[in-house]
Amino acid sequence: DIVMTQSPDSLTVSLGERATINCKSSQSVLYSSNNKNYLSWYQQKAGQPPKVLISWASTRISGVPDRFSGSGSGTDFTLTINNVQAEDVAVYYCQQHETPPYAFGPGTRLEIK
Amino acid sequence: EVHLVQSGPEVKKPGESLNISCQGSGYEFNKYWIGWVRQMPGRGLEWMGIIYPGDSDNRYRPSFQGRVTMSVDKSSSTAYLQWSSLQASDTAIYYCAKHALVGSIGTWFDSWGQGTPVTVSS
């Protein structure tokens, strides 16, 4: 099975600053036949179901603010949140969907200073 | 608009059986893989498995294989997750979620149900 790890476990940033969350897969999630990274990012606010932010590692889902961006390829990925807002307080998860079981990372909690 | 509506909270005793549901609307239910995700209290998301309503093809996380059963009723656009014998460690919120791309097994979840809290306690 592909194992997902994330760092840091939690981070605290000031309003307007940048937050960077890292995700690593135990094996590549880059599918060679279409050159797509099967990696997505989700945001889960307290008491709510998760919401997808980024697909294919770097494609922002329609309606997601452009301060959210994803990057990376193969086994190493990053979610960047620029100009962090109060409403961004949440837990962020990466997920690989290249090979079942489609594991989630353990999550990174974002708090505001 | 896509909606996934899950059944309500459950309180059960160890050893009891349980069936929770997830009814989809606003899209062609039979053509999108639907999955189940567990979230234990204060913990992260665990992918349990997915099922394709068109032919009931499925994939389970090995740790859930044999512990739960996924099924669908195409006539009512409803997916089910069932246990034959609950344990206290099954206490969690269970989410259903729909895959984003028609017929594709390898995609992200683009729509989620509201979650079904399950409490198992003697």
Side-chain angles (χ1 to χ4, degrees):
Chain A
D1 295 358
I2 298 176
V3 176
M4 308 300 292
T5 56
Q6 288 183 230
S7 63
D9 294 335
S10 64
L11 75 163
T12 303
V13 301
S14 299
L15 288 173
E17 291 193 341
R18 175 182 297 166
T20 301
I21 299 170
N22 300 300
C23 171
K24 191 174 182 69
S25 57
S26 60
Q27 60 194 73
S28 177
V29 296
L30 175 62
Y31 192 49
S32 56
S33 64
N34 60 10
N35 202 38
K36 286 183 180 291
N37 286 284
Y38 282 55
L39 188 286
S40 300
W41 289 95
Y42 299 83
Q43 174 194 65
Q44 187 180 31
K45 297 182 178 180
Q48 297 183 19
K51 168 189 166 186
V52 64
L53 301 174
I54 303 286
S55 65
W56 304 129
S58 60
T59 302
R60 194 180 312 112
I61 297 297
S62 175
V64 173
D66 61 6
R67 62 178 183 275
F68 292 91
S69 63
S71 62
S73 185
T75 61
D76 293 277
F77 302 91
T78 300
L79 175 70
T80 302
I81 310 171
N82 288 310
N83 186 23
V84 167
Q85 301 296 300
E87 61 262 33
D88 300 335
V89 168
V91 180
Y92 293 85
Y93 298 92
C94 58
Q95 183 201 18
Q96 69 84 13
H97 43 92
E98 198 272 340
T99 304
Y102 296 147
F104 291 93
T108 295
R109 184 176 299 278
L110 174 64
E111 297 176 332
I112 303 296
K113 200 179 297 181
Chain B
E1 186 182 356
V2 174
H3 287 287
L4 295 173
V5 178
Q6 297 186 232
S7 50
E10 300 276 0
V11 179
K12 292 288 190 178
K13 290 182 166 42
E16 291 186 333
S17 62
L18 176 64
N19 202 4
I20 63 175
S21 66
C22 169
Q23 184 171 41
S25 63
Y27 72 102
E28 290 187 88
F29 181 79
N30 292 354
K31 294 186 176 180
Y32 292 80
W33 288 81
I34 195 161
W36 292 94
V37 175
R38 183 174 79 174
Q39 189 164 39
M40 299 175 76
R43 306 294 294 275
L45 305 173
E46 292 178 89
W47 186 93
M48 301 176 69
I50 50 175
I51 185 167
Y52 187 67
D55 61 5
S56 292
D57 188 12
N58 59 70
R59 305 286 187 278
Y60 287 89
R61 171 175 287 281
S63 57
F64 289 102
Q65 183 96 44
R67 288 275 299 121
V68 297
T69 302
M70 297 181 295
S71 62
V72 293
D73 177 358
K74 292 191 286 186
S75 67
S76 63
S77 299
T78 302
Y80 297 95
L81 184 66
Q82 58 191 99
W83 293 257
S84 59
S85 180
L86 287 160
Q87 301 174 2
S89 57
D90 294 316
T91 294
I93 297 174
Y94 293 87
Y95 292 101
C96 65
K98 165 193 161 289
H99 269 196
L101 302 180
V102 62
S104 176
I105 189 174
T107 85
W108 57 98
F109 292 127
D110 69 341
S111 297
W112 294 68
Q114 81 275 21
T116 295
V118 174
T119 301
V120 184
S121 174
S122 54

